Amino acid sequence: QVQLVESGGGLVQAGDSLRLSCTASGRTVTTRLMGWFRQPPGKEREFLAQIAWRENATYYRDHVKDRFLISGDSAKNTVFLFMNSLKPEDTAIYYCAAAITSRAYDLWGQGTQVTVAS
């Protein structure tokens, strides 16, 4: 059984920075993609960023690419999301996801709450 374990969420002030971490634990797997999504209160889940290990390429949602940075270590199946200049509208549950059997996300973390106070 493989699980994604996220950490790093919390309550911060507007303008602060935060780093989220996610690691795939359990049996040994090879992840094709790892990414971050979020679900603001009362809204649908949205894509934020992903990293494709084989291509060593990153992709971002347009409205966060100037403030968020995704990085990681494929050998450790670990991905980070560095978030800068946080705004109250960044308040959401942040989810880590991994694509293992194909290039579609098929494994999700439990989510970590990020709250940005104004």
Side-chain angles (χ1 to χ4, degrees):
Q1 190 76 7
V2 181
Q3 291 182 320
L4 295 179
V5 180
E6 300 135 330
S7 62
L11 172 63
V12 297
Q13 298 296 312
D16 284 353
S17 298
L18 203 60
R19 187 190 78 167
L20 304 182
S21 303
C22 173
T23 298
S25 64
R27 63 178 174 84
T28 301
V29 294
T30 299
T31 55
R32 300 167 186 256
L33 306 171
M34 291 190 77
W36 289 96
F37 295 72
R38 71 183 179 188
Q39 186 167 16
K43 298 183 179 180
E44 294 187 352
R45 188 177 300 184
E46 62 182 13
F47 167 79
L48 293 175
Q50 73 177 24
I51 188 165
W53 300 122
R54 186 174 64 181
E55 297 86 353
N56 193 29
T58 56
Y59 306 91
Y60 294 90
R61 185 179 184 89
D62 282 346
H63 73 255
V64 300
K65 64 182 179 182
D66 292 333
R67 298 187 294 121
F68 291 6
L69 174 70
I70 189 170
S71 69
D73 185 334
S74 59
K76 297 180 179 179
N77 285 324
T78 295
V79 66
F80 304 101
L81 185 67
F82 297 88
M83 303 185 292
N84 300 306
S85 302
L86 284 163
K87 306 174 182 180
E89 50 263 44
D90 293 317
T91 294
I93 301 174
Y94 284 71
Y95 295 91
C96 174
I100 297 174
T101 58
S102 70
R103 291 183 69 85
Y105 286 107
D106 49 11
L107 183 66
W108 293 83
Q110 79 286 355
T112 185
Q113 177 71 47
V114 172
T115 302
V116 184
S118 58

